[in-house]
Amino acid sequence: MTDGTNPPSHPQPEPAPGSGGYGFPPGPPAQGGYGYPTPSGGYGYPQSGQQPNPYQQDPGAYQQDPAGGFGHDAAGGYQQDAGGYPQDGGGYPQDAGGYPQDAAGGQWSAAPAQPGFTRLAGPDLPGGSQPDWEAMADRSAAERRKKRLWMLGGGVAVLALLAGGGTFFLMGTGDDGQDAQPQNSASASPEPDDSKGPAAYTATVAGDDTLLRDSYGSMGIRLGPDLKVGPLGKRFQVVGKGNGNSWAQSAEPVVDVTKSFTVTARAYNSAAKGSRIIMSQGDGESFSFELGVNEVNGKQAWIFRVQTGDKGAAATTRTVTAEGLQMVKTPTLLMATYDAEKKAIALYVDGKKAGETPVPPIWQAPGPLQLGRSMHHNIWTGPWQGALHNIKTYDMAFTAEQAAGYKEGKLDPSPKPTHAWLLT
């Protein structure tokens, strides 16, 4: 509507000669008309020599994948949901024809097809129905629950394997880099009340970390410079470097060799040759007994040896050996017995009797119990290289049946040690 008067006019200047008219570049129109490049480039793509379109995707960016799904743009738009349908940030539903709907349920019109473009349509939904978004969400949640159950089941299986591995050994490392011997989890005899809980047990005397604590008596063992306490799971072991300082000793004798006795320890030998003593007693001219490793017929063997004469002569020693066994880096339970009534000594390796031999009365050498060395003709020999723990002494001689039961932790009733160190 107007008031009847003509609006003011603003005459335009005449176009310049040779131009294509107002608003068009001079010269004849390009092939295909003004505003469109030549067909060689296709509509919407730069011609040869032009600056590339900054919004152009990599080749094939909006092509369909083999499953008929949509490609993804650089910003991650049009991601597929669990049912294979593209979603933008709001996840708009589609109608049966594959076209999105607006918030009121009306169909958005598809853009008219133009030369050079092909509309990419998603898969048709059967029956012209809407996607069952609730069912899709339920399936996705079910898949996540299934994955969590599988992960939980795997964790339970691992814990079950660890719980069932009571007979496995936990390996430690000594100060010299050698593997330290671990222990079998089966306990050969009940431990005193203060050592039942790992947190309560201590390997050394309170306030003195160089004195091994006696769990059944009051006989501490003083550690030499290179026999060190180390961890063994939640408990402890001692580790020797195999040199002249790899030893420990008590303040006085521990074993009465004039009566029946048993000594036992769990050992892990790291030395491939030579003599290596786990324990002995005596610091005079010779030992009363020694338990450990010695070379027999050119190869290492476990030995239990006693001295029956006061001069330490080879002619007055008696020895039981266990040959042909794996000696190096093999956790081993050793037990040596003296039966004063039978006048015989015996050696057990991992609960099995290796041998027995008759002996005259054992010479009672002066001096304390030793760990990691033995006295031969006034010379310390056999420095221990490896680890030791569960060291115990008894005032009785174990039988073959008891030795086997000790190995399996099935002694009933279980004999009480007279002394014990480094329990596990």
Side-chain angles (χ1 to χ4, degrees), residues 358-375:
V359 297
I362 299 174
W363 175 54
Q364 191 169 9
L369 184 76
Q370 306 285 331
L371 298 182
R373 65 181 181 178
S374 181
M375 180 66 77

Side-chain angles (χ1 to χ4, degrees), residues 81 175 273 280 287 334 377 422:
D81 66 7
D175 292 344
K273 60 181 179 180
S280 68
F287 60 89
L334 295 167
H377 302 288
L422 299 164

Side-chain angles (χ1 to χ4, degrees), residues 17-412:
S19 70
Y22 295 113
F24 294 94
Q31 184 180 356
Y34 292 109
Y36 294 95
T38 59
S40 61
Y43 297 110
Y45 291 93
Q47 292 179 321
S48 176
Q50 290 183 331
Q51 181 68 24
N53 185 345
Y55 298 102
Q56 181 181 343
Q57 303 299 314
D58 292 335
Y62 283 93
Q63 299 302 315
Q64 289 180 323
D65 61 23
F70 290 86
H72 305 286
D73 65 12
Y78 293 101
Q79 302 294 325
Q80 291 181 334
D81 66 7
Y85 300 101
Q87 293 179 330
D88 65 5
Y92 296 104
Q94 296 175 331
D95 69 6
Y99 300 103
Q101 294 178 326
D102 62 13
Q107 185 183 91
W108 293 351
S109 299
Q114 297 184 16
F117 286 93
T118 301
R119 184 180 68 84
L120 301 178
D124 293 334
L125 296 176
S129 61
Q130 293 287 338
D132 189 346
W133 304 106
E134 184 176 354
M136 293 178 186
D138 290 342
R139 286 197 300 271
S140 179
E143 289 295 327
R144 289 194 296 270
R145 286 195 299 271
K146 185 177 180 181
K147 182 180 293 186
R148 285 196 297 268
L149 288 174
W150 275 106
M151 293 175 65
L152 179 61
V156 171
V158 170
L159 291 175
L161 288 174
L162 291 175
T167 58
F168 290 99
F169 287 82
L170 300 173
M171 302 303 295
T173 302
D175 292 344
D176 59 344
Q178 299 290 338
D179 291 333
Q181 189 260 351
Q183 66 119 27
N184 190 309
S185 64
S187 177
S189 62
E191 298 175 3
D193 292 341
D194 64 348
S195 63
K196 286 182 179 178
Y201 183 81
T202 58
T204 56
V205 174
D208 190 347
D209 59 5
T210 66
L211 187 64
L212 294 181
R213 186 173 68 85
D214 185 354
S215 296
Y216 280 88
S218 57
M219 188 65 67
I221 297 182
R222 181 69 62 185
L223 294 170
D226 288 331
L227 191 65
K228 302 288 189 180
V229 175
L232 179 61
K234 294 183 178 180
R235 294 299 178 91
F236 307 94
Q237 60 190 349
V238 287
V239 181
K241 294 184 176 182
N243 59 29
N245 289 323
S246 301
W247 55 268
Q249 69 176 20
S250 61
E252 56 188 74
V254 171
V255 177
D256 185 352
V257 296
T258 66
K259 300 176 181 179
S260 296
F261 68 85
T262 294
V263 294
T264 182
R266 295 184 185 272
Y268 185 81
N269 171 41
S270 296
K273 60 181 179 180
S275 174
R276 306 291 170 178
I277 300 302
I278 295 170
M279 74 173 82
S280 68
Q281 185 163 284
D283 62 359
E285 188 172 353
S286 185
F287 60 89
S288 281
F289 70 86
E290 61 181 7
L291 172 66
V293 178
N294 201 14
E295 290 195 1
V296 178
N297 299 321
K299 296 182 180 180
Q300 282 189 328
W302 296 112
I303 60 100
F304 176 47
R305 181 181 290 127
V306 298
Q307 180 56 258
T308 63
D310 60 358
K311 301 300 182 183
T316 54
T317 61
R318 299 292 185 271
T319 305
V320 180
T321 64
E323 300 179 58
L325 301 177
Q326 179 62 41
M327 301 296 300
V328 180
K329 296 183 179 180
T330 303
T332 306
L333 170 62
L334 295 167
M335 177 181 287
T337 67
Y338 169 62
D339 190 324
E341 294 183 4
K342 291 175 58 177
K343 292 183 172 54
I345 59 173
L347 175 63
Y348 299 87
V349 180
D350 288 331
K352 297 179 180 180
K353 194 171 189 177
E356 181 179 283
T357 189
V359 297
I362 299 174
W363 175 54
Q364 191 169 9
L369 184 76
Q370 306 285 331
L371 298 182
R373 65 181 181 178
S374 181
M375 180 66 77
H376 283 243
H377 302 288
N378 293 312
I379 298 174
W380 291 114
T381 63
W384 181 254
Q385 180 176 318
L388 302 170
H389 67 98
N390 253 41
I391 303 165
K392 298 179 184 178
T393 65
Y394 295 84
D395 59 1
M396 56 170 285
F398 276 44
T399 64
E401 292 75 16
Q402 287 175 316
Y406 183 95
K407 170 64 171 62
E408 300 299 326
K410 297 178 180 178
L411 279 177
D412 187 22

